[in-house]
Amino acid sequence: MLALFLRDLKLAIRTSGGFGLALAFFLIVVMFVPFGVGSDLTLLARIAPGILWIGALLACLLSLDRIFQLDAEDGTLNVLATSPIPLSGVTVAKSMAHWVTTGLPLTIAAIPLGYLLNLPSVAYSWLCISLLIGTPALSFIGAFGAAITVGIKRGGLLLSLLVLPLYIPTLIFGAVTVTKAVEGLDPMPSLMFLAGLTLLSVVIMPFASALALKSNLS
Amino acid sequence: MSLWEYANPVKFMGLSSRLIPTLSVLTVLCLVIGILWGFFGTPDDYKQGSTVKIIFLHVPSALMAINAWLMMLVASLVWLIRRHHVSALAAKAAAPIGITMTLIALGTGAIWGKPMWGTYWAWDPRLTSFMILFVFYLGYMALWSAIEDSDTAADLTSILCMIGSVFALLSRYAVNFWNQGLHQGASLSLDKEQHVDDTYFYPLILCMAGFILLFVLLVLVRTRTEIRLRRATALAARNR
């Protein structure tokens, strides 16, 4: 499993245009917001938590189809399916690799982007913690969507239609955590819900993804 | 004699063809009497005026919007566990009906909301969770139509339905956490005192029964269509 995790990491970093694209997309989404709503700093400060969470979520969505698509095309996935690791283990390794190459950089990139949006200084630590805790859920749920659509040619649009509704609870709890921090209220309850959601996704999603992969491979 | 006998498509077709005429008559009776009684046989509410009467469409359709998804979940589980094709086809058949019920509930709610709340739409938890349910239905139906192999499609949509149920439920409570409500509490409940006067209650029950029957009827008809489609495809493949 570790070997598979490291292999996916290397592939993501060395092949062009997987790793940096999500970050660039995140930057562009955040940059577009002032163009859309105006550069009023107080308004930006108020909507910054939501924008940063939505931006991170969309950027995460972009790289989802890479989790299984390339391996399915060249047959690696068939080999992995016959390997001693169960398919759910394969999914865990791949989801973790996706998180390290997407969720983690997005969390770090959110800090300077938060500054661009005039996010109040009290909220930075909560923004980071909430993204750090919440983005694994995005990767694990996303891997499930990728597993379902792996057999469909040009399934990118369908993938977003399937995955985005599943992201709703994560987005709500994540954004509410930061908003509460901005308003000076206690962000702990929603952060706890977010953590619970991530744990739930980590527990059930690999099995669901394995089931979907099995059905797609047969 | 067990329930699973009807997993056999031939038996299912036989039983459903015998059930459909009776069900149709019952559905029409319940809906016509319920709606006419509700619209013309009840007085106007002292606060809401005649707009109260939209309850006879709103509540039953909202009820069926949720229960259609539940039925799909059960049918999906049956497919995943026992692999009965009729079950998978019934889940497929229920989705468009469920999404229509969701739309009716949202639409009638908006029509009622304008005079009563002064707005067609508010980001209220109940309204929002219905919008979310709508999106879940969309994804489910899109997945069915995107996959060509019918067994794979049945597998994948069943898994999606299971996971979707978990997350739809989570979203339901997440939006409660996220925003304050404008929508009134439940009018009817099995374990609490009812909030609706008997004058409205009886026609409402009749309308709800009518909508349940209508749903069952439509699912039967649509499942029969799906089975016939499956047979026609098989015949066409054999002749080629």
Side-chain angles (χ1 to χ4, degrees):
Chain A
M1 257 174 86
L2 188 69
L4 184 64
F5 171 70
L6 290 175
R7 167 187 169 273
D8 270 29
L9 268 190
K10 275 183 203 149
L11 274 179
I13 295 168
R14 289 185 190 162
T15 51
S16 56
F19 191 53
L21 268 185
L23 286 178
F25 182 80
F26 191 23
L27 170 70
I28 291 174
V29 168
V30 169
M31 195 175 78
F32 269 23
V33 173
F35 295 158
V37 303
S39 60
D40 176 20
L41 283 181
T42 47
L43 175 66
L44 284 181
R46 215 178 65 218
I47 60 174
I51 300 298
L52 289 168
W53 254 95
I54 293 174
L57 194 144
L58 291 178
C60 185
L61 186 73
L62 268 189
S63 50
L64 284 181
D65 56 341
R66 289 170 174 271
I67 299 183
F68 294 116
Q69 197 74 52
L70 295 173
D71 282 350
E73 276 165 11
D74 63 9
T76 316
L77 204 58
N78 286 309
V79 179
L80 287 176
T82 54
S83 74
I85 324 171
L87 264 178
S88 43
V90 172
T91 322
V92 171
K94 283 182 164 293
S95 311
M96 285 307 291
H98 179 263
W99 179 71
V100 171
T101 53
T102 315
L104 201 58
L106 286 176
T107 306
I108 297 163
I111 301 170
L113 292 180
Y115 187 77
L116 287 183
L117 289 179
N118 192 28
L119 188 74
S121 53
V122 285
Y124 283 96
S125 52
W126 291 104
L127 176 71
C128 279
I129 294 170
S130 73
L131 279 172
L132 203 62
I133 290 180
T135 43
L138 300 183
S139 289
F140 276 83
I141 298 170
F144 167 68
I148 277 196
T149 53
V150 74
I152 303 167
K153 286 193 187 69
R154 282 185 278 287
L157 202 57
L158 183 68
L159 176 66
S160 20
L161 183 59
L162 297 184
V163 165
L164 284 179
L166 301 178
Y167 278 175
I168 293 171
T170 318
L171 172 64
I172 290 177
F173 289 126
V176 164
T177 305
V178 189
T179 313
K180 285 262 165 76
V182 170
E183 290 168 351
L185 300 168
D186 183 17
M188 270 320 266
S190 44
L191 191 69
M192 287 292 144
F193 273 116
L194 187 67
L197 205 60
T198 301
L199 291 176
L200 178 79
S201 311
V202 171
V203 171
I204 64 171
M205 282 310 177
F207 295 104
S209 312
L211 210 59
L213 281 178
K214 221 175 276 172
S215 160
N216 261 324
L217 288 175
S218 59
Chain B
M1 175 68 194
S2 93
L3 180 68
W4 301 115
E5 273 182 29
Y6 296 105
N8 178 339
V10 179
K11 284 232 166 135
F12 174 82
M13 291 301 259
L15 177 77
S16 57
S17 71
R18 267 175 283 130
L19 274 179
I20 282 177
T22 328
L23 268 178
S24 315
V25 173
L26 277 177
T27 309
V28 171
L29 273 181
C30 279
L31 279 181
V32 167
I33 297 177
I35 289 178
L36 286 182
W37 183 2
F39 280 12
F40 300 108
T42 58
D44 287 356
D45 185 72
Y46 80 102
K47 236 179 346 191
Q48 302 178 13
S50 58
T51 58
V52 71
K53 291 174 181 180
I54 214 158
I55 193 179
F56 299 113
L57 290 176
H58 183 68
V59 172
S61 58
L63 172 83
M64 289 326 292
I66 297 165
N67 284 313
W69 185 276
L70 274 182
M71 178 246 147
M72 279 156 55
L73 175 64
V74 174
S76 299
L77 285 174
V78 171
W79 161 255
L80 282 180
I81 297 166
R82 301 193 60 134
R83 306 202 78 77
H84 294 318
H85 283 88
V86 174
S87 172
L89 291 178
K92 183 186 184 183
I97 310 169
I99 203 172
T100 314
M101 293 295 179
T102 316
L103 271 183
I104 295 176
L106 282 173
T108 50
I111 296 169
W112 181 88
K114 186 62 186 170
M116 287 303 118
W117 294 342
T119 170
Y120 286 113
W121 178 262
W123 289 100
D124 159 275
R126 282 201 183 201
L127 276 64
T128 313
S129 40
F130 254 69
M131 185 86 109
I132 295 171
L133 183 66
F134 180 73
V135 186
F136 273 100
Y137 272 121
L138 275 186
Y140 179 85
M141 285 163 62
L143 188 61
W144 261 111
S145 58
I147 305 170
E148 279 175 21
D149 180 64
S150 53
D151 275 10
T152 315
D155 273 349
L156 295 179
T157 48
S158 302
I159 301 167
L160 180 72
C161 185
M162 268 166 37
I163 295 296
S165 306
V166 175
F167 277 82
L169 204 65
L170 281 173
S171 309
R172 173 76 186 85
Y173 291 99
V175 291
N176 266 341
F177 190 84
W178 157 80
N179 210 343
Q180 293 298 315
L182 193 62
H183 200 291
Q184 55 269 64
S187 309
L188 301 176
S189 162
L190 291 176
D191 55 347
K192 286 187 211 120
E193 200 185 343
Q194 71 188 54
H195 294 295
V196 177
D197 190 78
D198 276 355
T199 10
Y200 298 114
F201 181 68
Y202 294 118
L204 182 57
I205 286 295
L206 210 54
C207 281
M208 280 159 74
F211 265 73
I212 294 171
L213 286 168
L214 179 68
F215 174 73
V216 175
L217 178 67
L218 286 175
V219 168
L220 285 181
V221 172
R222 289 183 55 89
T223 312
R224 287 168 64 84
T225 316
E226 293 288 343
I227 292 174
R228 292 215 170 97
L229 182 68
R230 195 62 81 81
R231 284 178 180 168
T233 323
L235 273 180
R238 205 182 302 160
N239 289 339
R240 214 180 293 134

